[in-house]
Amino acid sequence: MAAARAGPAELGFVEAAPAWRLRSEQFPSKVGGRPAWLGAAGLPRPEELACALCGRPLAFLLQLYAPLPDRADAFHRGLFLFCCRAPPCCAGLRVFRNQLPRKNDFYSYEPPCEDPPPETGESVCLQLKSGAHLCRVCGCLGPKTCSRCHKAHYCSKEHQTLDWRFGHKQACTQSDYLDRTIPDHSFLFPEFEIVIETEDEITSEVVEKENESEITGSMGEAPEEELDSMAKLESKEDKIFQKFKTKIALEPEQVLRYGRGIAPIWISGENIPQEKDIPYCPCGAKRTFEFQVMPQLLNHLKADRLGRSVDWGVLAVFTCAESCRLGIGYTEEFVWKQDITNTP
């Protein structure tokens, strides 16, 4: 892969937020709930949002608002990450990118208002301005409809069945009920806003040096033979994990690290991708690292259950270095999963 640029990362933290702040017109970065789609054209199709391993619908994990200030065609830019949460699979991952110029068919040219809207309701909109209907369960494109009421839309037979079990069976013929009630299915992850802060690079370096001096100081009185023995025992695996721990020690609650073109931090020496492992974008450009999801996010997802569940060490997202426009709508990018190994 190309040499990573230097510079501090931007760190993401989860915070509770009112529903209006997580709507599309606010350009949120957020975890869980339903996607706040950026633009209504060319949404990923249901088959694109199915797990490549088990075939079941993927769950929306998070989205990141990541505009490119020097690109007029990427004044608005969003990255959308989905994962499989269907046991025993829980392994599929897909990520999509969309971008828009400042002048577009979906949003005002002016920045969004920072004040809450006048309406008090927190209803979820399941029809986009383009006319496209969204699935009542997951909020993704819903081309299927209920054969009885023809008003409830779904991405898949699986989500239609889930909604039927969770109340649509009783409400199917009550059109006003459909308009007023959007189910909060257990399929969705808990919803939070992602707030961004810049990492304090200087302090991080100080901590790393202090840790190194503590190790050196504690070894100062050891015999030379003992030092040699200890050095042999300290594997590359240990060093990578220690570097990971040191890097996040100042901000242990971080759930995301962003930096287009910087180097990711890995949790293990195993399964680190090589240049050949990162596919080129269909436009012909290389893909470059853009952000990584940290294992700390798992603490907020309430995904634990008996048997297999959603899990990772690092999710690293690589995007087109040219941030190309392959027509309208959403372009699939690449995500690399590194699992947690039995590291001391």
Side-chain angles (χ1 to χ4, degrees):
M1 284 174 280
R5 69 167 177 83
E10 292 184 278
L11 308 183
F13 303 87
V14 295
E15 285 187 3
W20 67 270
R21 282 186 55 82
L22 303 179
R23 296 175 183 171
S24 295
E25 58 270 19
Q26 295 294 322
F27 308 110
S29 293
K30 75 184 193 83
V31 169
R34 295 173 176 85
W37 295 108
L38 178 67
L43 263 61
R45 301 183 305 277
E47 56 268 29
E48 294 177 295
L49 290 174
C51 178
L53 300 173
C54 72
R56 296 169 76 176
L58 297 175
F60 170 69
L61 179 59
L62 63 80
Q63 67 187 75
L64 196 60
Y65 184 63
L68 302 180
D70 57 342
R71 288 276 297 274
D73 64 334
F75 184 87
H76 299 298
R77 184 171 173 272
L79 301 166
F80 297 77
L81 180 58
F82 298 81
C83 70
C84 178
R85 64 173 307 180
C89 178
C90 295
L93 293 158
R94 299 186 87 162
V95 61
F96 296 85
R97 168 177 56 86
N98 191 22
Q99 58 200 50
L100 297 169
R102 184 170 184 177
K103 186 176 181 180
N104 60 76
D105 295 333
F106 308 108
Y107 303 107
S108 168
Y109 189 82
E110 300 304 322
C113 179
E114 290 294 321
D115 298 322
E119 74 270 14
T120 55
E122 295 188 353
S123 60
V124 176
C125 181
L126 291 179
Q127 184 172 10
L128 300 177
K129 291 179 181 178
S130 64
H133 291 275
L134 302 179
C135 175
R136 276 172 57 84
V137 174
C138 66
C140 296
L141 198 61
K144 299 181 181 294
T145 58
C146 172
S147 58
R148 283 177 63 187
C149 69
H150 301 288
K151 291 184 178 181
H153 293 258
Y154 303 99
C155 67
S156 61
K157 187 71 175 176
E158 182 169 341
H159 280 186
Q160 183 176 0
T161 303
L162 181 64
D163 194 38
W164 186 259
R165 281 205 318 267
F166 276 79
H168 184 60
K169 181 178 181 180
Q170 291 74 31
C172 185
T173 55
Q174 304 173 35
S175 60
D176 62 328
Y177 182 87
L178 278 176
D179 293 337
R180 287 186 288 106
T181 307
I182 304 299
D184 185 13
H185 289 299
S186 57
F187 179 80
L188 303 176
F189 288 117
E191 192 171 34
F192 300 96
E193 184 175 17
I194 299 175
V195 295
I196 302 294
E197 298 177 10
T198 302
E199 183 175 43
D200 189 338
E201 197 173 31
I202 297 174
T203 313
S204 181
E205 289 174 359
V206 169
V207 170
E208 196 163 350
K209 286 177 181 176
E210 285 176 354
N211 288 349
E212 287 174 2
S213 64
E214 283 176 13
I215 295 168
T216 307
S218 65
M219 296 172 118
E221 303 300 319
E224 187 175 342
E225 296 80 5
E226 187 178 340
L227 289 175
D228 288 341
S229 176
M230 290 173 71
K232 289 176 183 176
L233 287 173
E234 186 180 29
S235 65
K236 178 184 177 185
E237 179 77 19
D238 297 330
K239 289 178 180 178
I240 289 173
F241 183 60
Q242 290 303 322
K243 181 180 179 181
F244 181 89
K245 289 202 300 183
T246 299
K247 197 71 175 173
I248 67 172
L250 283 172
E251 300 288 356
E253 297 301 314
Q254 60 185 278
V255 301
L256 182 143
R257 296 177 65 88
Y258 179 88
R260 196 160 184 259
I262 70 171
I265 59 169
W266 302 107
I267 199 168
S268 164
E270 297 181 10
N271 199 32
I272 294 177
Q274 304 301 309
E275 185 171 357
K276 61 181 175 59
D277 298 317
I278 310 300
Y280 278 47
C281 177
C283 77
K286 283 187 175 183
R287 284 193 170 100
T288 185
F289 172 78
E290 185 149 354
F291 75 92
Q292 69 185 86
V293 184
M294 308 295 280
Q296 290 90 324
L297 180 59
L298 293 164
N299 298 328
H300 302 277
L301 296 184
K302 298 181 180 178
D304 294 337
R305 64 176 72 193
L306 294 174
R308 288 198 65 181
S309 184
V310 177
D311 196 16
W312 62 78
V314 166
L315 300 179
V317 172
F318 296 81
T319 61
C320 175
E322 302 297 327
S323 200
C324 66
R325 289 301 305 268
L326 295 176
I328 62 168
Y330 290 73
T331 301
E332 185 164 10
E333 296 289 11
F334 182 74
V335 55
W336 182 273
K337 179 184 179 185
Q338 186 187 48
D339 289 314
I340 299 174
T341 56
N342 296 322
T343 317

